[in-house]
Amino acid sequence: MIKTKLALAAVMAALAFAPASAATQKKSGKTSKTSKKSTVKHTAAKAAPAAVLAERWQDRQFDLLSNQFLNAQWRIDSESAIYAGKYDTAATLFIPDQAGIASELAFIDEWLDRFGKVNAKQLAAKQRTDLQLLQNKLEGDRWRLTTLREYEWNPASYNVAGPLDLILNTEYAARPQRLRTLLKRITSIPAYYAAARANIVNPTREHTRLAIKQAPGVKAVLVEANKTAQTSILNAAEKQQFALRVDAALAAVDNYVAYLTEREKLMTTNGRRSFRLGKELYEKKFAYDIQSGSTAEQTYQKALAAREELLANMDRLSDELWDKYLPGVARPADRYAKIGMMIDKLSERHVGRENFVAEIRRQIPELQAWVIQHDLLTLDPAKQLEVRATPAYQAGVAGASIDAPGPYRPQDRTYYNVTPLDGATPEAAESSLREYNHWILQILNIHEAIPGHYAQLIYANKSPSIVKSIFGNGAMVEGWAVYGERMMLESGYGDNAPEMWLMYSKWNLRSVTNTILDYSVHVLGMTEDQAIDLLTRQAFQTRSEATEKWHRVQVSSVQLTSYFSGYSEIMALREERKQALGSNFNLKQFHEQFLSYGSAPVRVIRELMINK
Ligand code: ZN
Ligand code: ZN
């Protein structure tokens, strides 16, 4: 299938497939449905048994249909199957040629038709929302293939590395069997890149450069696979075949890079496609990907207001801290300059570059203890999170991310990928360390691990809906992590210190600015200079952070809005529940109920919470 997630956002690649399984599904049927709900059903059964039985029959029929859909989906799309933890079809690499694209479209239409015949009104909330997510996914896929047509302009959407790495390093079967699967899969790599070349019509310069930059990582995975094969128990003939096919695959990657390098040289400023989506494509993509209650434009307006509120607060906190950190230093009248000076001063406090990964590793159990002691969320102490260096083929997009196993492989390990500073120049390392200073590093860990992404994934794992686990909503996932930062500080984490609140505000301003930046760049034509000014002077980011963000906003779109979009909707929902429940409102209950539905869009969770 045409996939862009590897190229666009490693974070999303990992998070789009929250772990859950048919087995967990059974277990957690109990967990998320309270006794209240079964009482309601019981009463209803007395009143109208026939209707209820019919309704349950419809729900069961729908569950069968969505399972049938998933199995069909895995058959035609081994890549997303592998990400979901299904390896039955892993030996086959999908070739994205015209016939392949036509078969995808036929598949989408067939299933839109079948789901279109389901009477949503007869379904229970769980099935109804599953249906909504599936239809949204299929309609989004159809739109991506027919209207967005990224496969014609994004050369980085062709990348074979992720699934190869998973087959090689996931112990779903004995190693020789996995190597034989790889042996078959890599046979088609030359055909895959030939199809890619044939598809590319009007590549953007930015996506072309990204594809070239990621190629060494792709080759590294192939070389590692061959090394593993040569030292395995495969027979001599298989080993020889392996070496030959890896050579052919490496040559195909090289040819692809040579082709792209040539294309890039021929690009003219006026003749080439812009990386900017434009308003029409942007609003549509926002609707499919974010599934917010608001439009992209409304979300952008909300972000502008949130930005103003944060800046006013940061101005006040800087005044409060001034004499403690900058006694005798003249206080600038310009608030950006004043806040910037204070943040600069505080940023001096950071770990040494050699301790960066170790410090992250040290903080995780502390955060877990805080969440448990302060009654914010129930956490399973048995689940372990391993902090590791980001694999090379995922490099180039995100600095830190949670990499979780697919829904069919809940027993696999979840990794906290951190890009180490080993390769950085002293200046670049210092810049990153100041950005991830004493306070921000804690907030990063809250966001990525506990109670952010990692904790949310564990809850999603218990969700009774495998559909929601697989086609999870990115804005809910990112929104939860951003909400978690604020909620931790509200609980007193960081001692309510003005330093912590100032740094938190700077960090939160980053999410808000992500939304403003993404919309401004893709819809309003913001230039690189304006973007760098917005990020550095007006959002107090370091030059390296800002440059990285500018790179990311050129090769991705809409995803950067998910943080603020989800966060603002969760904050609004919490306020709504507080108003509705009054003294019966309980924060831990709110969190656990919110997370119990799996990674559904916040507006869908809201409906489920309110109608419970
Ligand atoms: Zn320093
Ligand atoms: Zn995140």
Side-chain angles (χ1 to χ4, degrees), residues 11 447-448 453 478 481 563:
V11 193
H447 178 102
E448 296 295 339
H453 290 317
E478 285 306 341
Y563 306 83

Side-chain angles (χ1 to χ4, degrees), residues 347-348 350 430 433-434:
S347 301
E348 286 171 8
H350 62 73
E430 174 66 13
L433 290 166
R434 288 176 64 91

Side-chain angles (χ1 to χ4, degrees), residues 35-49 52 56:
S35 50
K36 231 186 255 167
K37 182 136 189 175
S38 48
T39 319
V40 172
K41 270 200 175 160
H42 184 70
T43 323
K46 269 186 208 159
V52 168
R56 284 182 184 164

